[in-house]
Amino acid sequence: MPRSAPTPCRHPACSLVLETPGYCDQHRAVAARDYGRARRGFDVEVGFYSSTRWRAVRAAFLRQYPVCVACEGHGHLVAAVVADHIKPIKDGGERFDWVNLQGLCISCHNRKTARETAGRC
């Protein structure tokens, strides 16, 4: 079977010739990083969740309510590590109101988020 012709690296101004199409070793990590940054730019909430105010509210809430409410409802005592918005921000939930927050463990939070995401489709 014939081999494909060598192709240049896809990074602009890189003249390195490769056996298979794509990026050279030097530019592969840069391309992956830039792709990830571009994808994260589509999510408006990324800036909110990394804000100083949200981090302070989250930390104070989890100090006050350190147990996962979903697990506690099933009789288990599991540490809450996520301050979850009961009514999601995308659905009009309040960002900083403690009434709209609940402490969840990671698995309960992932389960709740998956249900919410499936309901949007």
PDB file of all heavy atoms in Angstrom, residues 2 8 15 25 30 33-34 37 39 46 50 54 58 69-70 73 77 83 106 113-114:
ATOM      1  N   PRO A   2       0.596   2.214  -0.853  1.00  0.00           N
ATOM      2  CA  PRO A   2       1.452   3.403  -0.940  1.00  0.00           C
ATOM      3  C   PRO A   2       1.292   4.284   0.295  1.00  0.00           C
ATOM      4  O   PRO A   2       0.224   4.388   0.879  1.00  0.00           O
ATOM      5  CB  PRO A   2       0.954   4.117  -2.189  1.00  0.00           C
ATOM      6  CG  PRO A   2      -0.407   3.608  -2.426  1.00  0.00           C
ATOM      7  CD  PRO A   2      -0.460   2.224  -1.851  1.00  0.00           C
ATOM      8  N   PRO A   8       3.732  19.478   5.622  1.00  0.00           N
ATOM      9  CA  PRO A   8       4.311  20.393   6.617  1.00  0.00           C
ATOM     10  C   PRO A   8       3.439  20.457   7.873  1.00  0.00           C
ATOM     11  O   PRO A   8       2.249  20.139   7.836  1.00  0.00           O
ATOM     12  CB  PRO A   8       4.335  21.734   5.887  1.00  0.00           C
ATOM     13  CG  PRO A   8       3.294  21.628   4.846  1.00  0.00           C
ATOM     14  CD  PRO A   8       3.222  20.185   4.462  1.00  0.00           C
ATOM     15  N   SER A  15       8.137  25.064   9.176  1.00  0.00           N
ATOM     16  CA  SER A  15       8.474  24.391   7.928  1.00  0.00           C
ATOM     17  C   SER A  15       8.869  22.932   8.121  1.00  0.00           C
ATOM     18  O   SER A  15       9.309  22.277   7.173  1.00  0.00           O
ATOM     19  CB  SER A  15       9.616  25.144   7.235  1.00  0.00           C
ATOM     20  OG  SER A  15      10.740  25.160   8.097  1.00  0.00           O
ATOM     21  N   ASP A  25       5.945  18.006  17.157  1.00  0.00           N
ATOM     22  CA  ASP A  25       5.971  17.852  18.618  1.00  0.00           C
ATOM     23  C   ASP A  25       5.988  19.199  19.338  1.00  0.00           C
ATOM     24  O   ASP A  25       5.361  19.371  20.375  1.00  0.00           O
ATOM     25  CB  ASP A  25       7.183  17.031  19.051  1.00  0.00           C
ATOM     26  CG  ASP A  25       7.077  15.581  18.612  1.00  0.00           C
ATOM     27  OD1 ASP A  25       5.942  15.110  18.385  1.00  0.00           O
ATOM     28  OD2 ASP A  25       8.129  14.924  18.494  1.00  0.00           O
ATOM     29  N   VAL A  30       0.881  23.489  21.933  1.00  0.00           N
ATOM     30  CA  VAL A  30       0.366  24.847  21.743  1.00  0.00           C
ATOM     31  C   VAL A  30      -1.016  24.797  21.102  1.00  0.00           C
ATOM     32  O   VAL A  30      -1.937  25.499  21.523  1.00  0.00           O
ATOM     33  CB  VAL A  30       1.339  25.677  20.873  1.00  0.00           C
ATOM     34  CG1 VAL A  30       0.744  27.026  20.531  1.00  0.00           C
ATOM     35  CG2 VAL A  30       2.667  25.837  21.581  1.00  0.00           C
ATOM     36  N   ARG A  33      -3.557  23.605  23.696  1.00  0.00           N
ATOM     37  CA  ARG A  33      -3.825  24.663  24.664  1.00  0.00           C
ATOM     38  C   ARG A  33      -4.756  25.719  24.071  1.00  0.00           C
ATOM     39  O   ARG A  33      -5.729  26.126  24.683  1.00  0.00           O
ATOM     40  CB  ARG A  33      -2.517  25.315  25.105  1.00  0.00           C
ATOM     41  CG  ARG A  33      -2.712  26.399  26.159  1.00  0.00           C
ATOM     42  CD  ARG A  33      -1.535  27.325  26.253  1.00  0.00           C
ATOM     43  NE  ARG A  33      -1.431  28.084  25.022  1.00  0.00           N
ATOM     44  CZ  ARG A  33      -0.303  28.583  24.527  1.00  0.00           C
ATOM     45  NH1 ARG A  33       0.820  28.405  25.164  1.00  0.00           N
ATOM     46  NH2 ARG A  33      -0.303  29.269  23.420  1.00  0.00           N
ATOM     47  N   ASP A  34      -4.457  26.164  22.857  1.00  0.00           N
ATOM     48  CA  ASP A  34      -5.276  27.188  22.216  1.00  0.00           C
ATOM     49  C   ASP A  34      -6.688  26.695  21.953  1.00  0.00           C
ATOM     50  O   ASP A  34      -7.657  27.435  22.097  1.00  0.00           O
ATOM     51  CB  ASP A  34      -4.631  27.656  20.915  1.00  0.00           C
ATOM     52  CG  ASP A  34      -3.349  28.442  21.160  1.00  0.00           C
ATOM     53  OD1 ASP A  34      -3.118  28.862  22.305  1.00  0.00           O
ATOM     54  OD2 ASP A  34      -2.574  28.614  20.195  1.00  0.00           O
ATOM     55  N   ARG A  37      -8.555  26.803  25.262  1.00  0.00           N
ATOM     56  CA  ARG A  37      -8.898  28.186  25.622  1.00  0.00           C
ATOM     57  C   ARG A  37     -10.072  28.684  24.797  1.00  0.00           C
ATOM     58  O   ARG A  37     -10.956  29.374  25.299  1.00  0.00           O
ATOM     59  CB  ARG A  37      -7.697  29.095  25.419  1.00  0.00           C
ATOM     60  CG  ARG A  37      -6.649  28.944  26.474  1.00  0.00           C
ATOM     61  CD  ARG A  37      -5.489  29.880  26.225  1.00  0.00           C
ATOM     62  NE  ARG A  37      -4.486  29.731  27.268  1.00  0.00           N
ATOM     63  CZ  ARG A  37      -3.287  30.246  27.206  1.00  0.00           C
ATOM     64  NH1 ARG A  37      -2.910  30.962  26.145  1.00  0.00           N
ATOM     65  NH2 ARG A  37      -2.429  30.057  28.189  1.00  0.00           N
ATOM     66  N   ARG A  39     -12.479  26.877  23.472  1.00  0.00           N
ATOM     67  CA  ARG A  39     -13.692  26.191  23.917  1.00  0.00           C
ATOM     68  C   ARG A  39     -14.201  26.799  25.222  1.00  0.00           C
ATOM     69  O   ARG A  39     -15.396  26.970  25.394  1.00  0.00           O
ATOM     70  CB  ARG A  39     -13.424  24.695  24.120  1.00  0.00           C
ATOM     71  CG  ARG A  39     -13.071  23.959  22.872  1.00  0.00           C
ATOM     72  CD  ARG A  39     -14.248  23.753  21.966  1.00  0.00           C
ATOM     73  NE  ARG A  39     -15.259  22.978  22.659  1.00  0.00           N
ATOM     74  CZ  ARG A  39     -16.541  23.031  22.378  1.00  0.00           C
ATOM     75  NH1 ARG A  39     -16.981  23.806  21.435  1.00  0.00           N
ATOM     76  NH2 ARG A  39     -17.401  22.296  23.039  1.00  0.00           N
ATOM     77  N   VAL A  46     -17.694  30.656  33.143  1.00  0.00           N
ATOM     78  CA  VAL A  46     -16.340  30.360  33.605  1.00  0.00           C
ATOM     79  C   VAL A  46     -15.778  31.544  34.391  1.00  0.00           C
ATOM     80  O   VAL A  46     -15.196  31.373  35.459  1.00  0.00           O
ATOM     81  CB  VAL A  46     -15.416  29.985  32.427  1.00  0.00           C
ATOM     82  CG1 VAL A  46     -13.973  29.923  32.875  1.00  0.00           C
ATOM     83  CG2 VAL A  46     -15.842  28.657  31.849  1.00  0.00           C
ATOM     84  N   SER A  50     -14.802  31.661  38.670  1.00  0.00           N
ATOM     85  CA  SER A  50     -13.439  31.936  39.112  1.00  0.00           C
ATOM     86  C   SER A  50     -13.315  33.319  39.763  1.00  0.00           C
ATOM     87  O   SER A  50     -12.221  33.724  40.133  1.00  0.00           O
ATOM     88  CB  SER A  50     -12.458  31.808  37.941  1.00  0.00           C
ATOM     89  OG  SER A  50     -12.767  32.741  36.936  1.00  0.00           O
ATOM     90  N   TRP A  54     -17.469  34.976  44.111  1.00  0.00           N
ATOM     91  CA  TRP A  54     -18.070  33.644  44.148  1.00  0.00           C
ATOM     92  C   TRP A  54     -17.257  32.699  45.032  1.00  0.00           C
ATOM     93  O   TRP A  54     -17.819  31.935  45.812  1.00  0.00           O
ATOM     94  CB  TRP A  54     -18.220  33.042  42.755  1.00  0.00           C
ATOM     95  CG  TRP A  54     -18.559  31.587  42.844  1.00  0.00           C
ATOM     96  CD1 TRP A  54     -17.767  30.527  42.520  1.00  0.00           C
ATOM     97  CD2 TRP A  54     -19.769  31.019  43.351  1.00  0.00           C
ATOM     98  NE1 TRP A  54     -18.403  29.345  42.783  1.00  0.00           N
ATOM     99  CE2 TRP A  54     -19.639  29.615  43.301  1.00  0.00           C
ATOM    100  CE3 TRP A  54     -20.943  31.547  43.863  1.00  0.00           C
ATOM    101  CZ2 TRP A  54     -20.636  28.747  43.727  1.00  0.00           C
ATOM    102  CZ3 TRP A  54     -21.949  30.686  44.279  1.00  0.00           C
ATOM    103  CH2 TRP A  54     -21.782  29.308  44.212  1.00  0.00           C
ATOM    104  N   ARG A  58     -18.871  30.771  48.125  1.00  0.00           N
ATOM    105  CA  ARG A  58     -18.810  29.307  48.114  1.00  0.00           C
ATOM    106  C   ARG A  58     -18.137  28.780  49.384  1.00  0.00           C
ATOM    107  O   ARG A  58     -18.651  27.879  50.051  1.00  0.00           O
ATOM    108  CB  ARG A  58     -18.050  28.827  46.886  1.00  0.00           C
ATOM    109  CG  ARG A  58     -17.836  27.338  46.833  1.00  0.00           C
ATOM    110  CD  ARG A  58     -16.814  26.985  45.733  1.00  0.00           C
ATOM    111  NE  ARG A  58     -16.490  25.584  45.790  1.00  0.00           N
ATOM    112  CZ  ARG A  58     -15.597  25.041  46.608  1.00  0.00           C
ATOM    113  NH1 ARG A  58     -14.930  25.800  47.449  1.00  0.00           N
ATOM    114  NH2 ARG A  58     -15.379  23.743  46.609  1.00  0.00           N
ATOM    115  N   VAL A  69     -26.489  17.432  50.898  1.00  0.00           N
ATOM    116  CA  VAL A  69     -27.913  17.310  51.234  1.00  0.00           C
ATOM    117  C   VAL A  69     -28.545  16.089  50.579  1.00  0.00           C
ATOM    118  O   VAL A  69     -29.452  15.475  51.158  1.00  0.00           O
ATOM    119  CB  VAL A  69     -28.699  18.597  50.870  1.00  0.00           C
ATOM    120  CG1 VAL A  69     -28.230  19.767  51.707  1.00  0.00           C
ATOM    121  CG2 VAL A  69     -28.609  18.921  49.402  1.00  0.00           C
ATOM    122  N   ALA A  70     -28.106  15.708  49.394  1.00  0.00           N
ATOM    123  CA  ALA A  70     -28.679  14.543  48.715  1.00  0.00           C
ATOM    124  C   ALA A  70     -28.302  13.256  49.445  1.00  0.00           C
ATOM    125  O   ALA A  70     -29.152  12.387  49.671  1.00  0.00           O
ATOM    126  CB  ALA A  70     -28.214  14.496  47.265  1.00  0.00           C
ATOM    127  N   GLY A  73     -30.112  12.949  52.752  1.00  0.00           N
ATOM    128  CA  GLY A  73     -31.485  12.502  52.559  1.00  0.00           C
ATOM    129  C   GLY A  73     -31.604  10.992  52.465  1.00  0.00           C
ATOM    130  O   GLY A  73     -32.659  10.421  52.736  1.00  0.00           O
ATOM    131  N   LEU A  77     -23.606  10.218  55.486  1.00  0.00           N
ATOM    132  CA  LEU A  77     -22.924  11.436  55.909  1.00  0.00           C
ATOM    133  C   LEU A  77     -21.691  11.619  55.022  1.00  0.00           C
ATOM    134  O   LEU A  77     -20.660  10.988  55.236  1.00  0.00           O
ATOM    135  CB  LEU A  77     -22.524  11.332  57.379  1.00  0.00           C
ATOM    136  CG  LEU A  77     -22.125  12.627  58.060  1.00  0.00           C
ATOM    137  CD1 LEU A  77     -23.286  13.609  58.046  1.00  0.00           C
ATOM    138  CD2 LEU A  77     -21.694  12.360  59.483  1.00  0.00           C
ATOM    139  N   ALA A  83     -20.806  23.940  46.045  1.00  0.00           N
ATOM    140  CA  ALA A  83     -21.946  24.795  46.365  1.00  0.00           C
ATOM    141  C   ALA A  83     -22.770  24.892  45.088  1.00  0.00           C
ATOM    142  O   ALA A  83     -22.436  25.633  44.179  1.00  0.00           O
ATOM    143  CB  ALA A  83     -21.485  26.165  46.835  1.00  0.00           C
ATOM    144  N   ILE A 106     -19.408  15.541  44.911  1.00  0.00           N
ATOM    145  CA  ILE A 106     -19.162  15.587  43.468  1.00  0.00           C
ATOM    146  C   ILE A 106     -20.090  14.656  42.699  1.00  0.00           C
ATOM    147  O   ILE A 106     -20.655  15.037  41.669  1.00  0.00           O
ATOM    148  CB  ILE A 106     -17.686  15.278  43.166  1.00  0.00           C
ATOM    149  CG1 ILE A 106     -16.810  16.420  43.682  1.00  0.00           C
ATOM    150  CG2 ILE A 106     -17.459  15.074  41.678  1.00  0.00           C
ATOM    151  CD1 ILE A 106     -15.331  16.183  43.571  1.00  0.00           C
ATOM    152  N   THR A 113     -26.463  17.708  37.546  1.00  0.00           N
ATOM    153  CA  THR A 113     -26.123  18.462  36.345  1.00  0.00           C
ATOM    154  C   THR A 113     -26.472  17.686  35.083  1.00  0.00           C
ATOM    155  O   THR A 113     -26.973  18.259  34.110  1.00  0.00           O
ATOM    156  CB  THR A 113     -24.621  18.816  36.357  1.00  0.00           C
ATOM    157  OG1 THR A 113     -24.334  19.560  37.550  1.00  0.00           O
ATOM    158  CG2 THR A 113     -24.239  19.651  35.141  1.00  0.00           C
ATOM    159  N   ALA A 114     -26.248  16.379  35.081  1.00  0.00           N
ATOM    160  CA  ALA A 114     -26.585  15.550  33.921  1.00  0.00           C
ATOM    161  C   ALA A 114     -28.097  15.561  33.677  1.00  0.00           C
ATOM    162  O   ALA A 114     -28.542  15.651  32.522  1.00  0.00           O
ATOM    163  CB  ALA A 114     -26.090  14.124  34.122  1.00  0.00           C
TER     164      ALA A 114
END
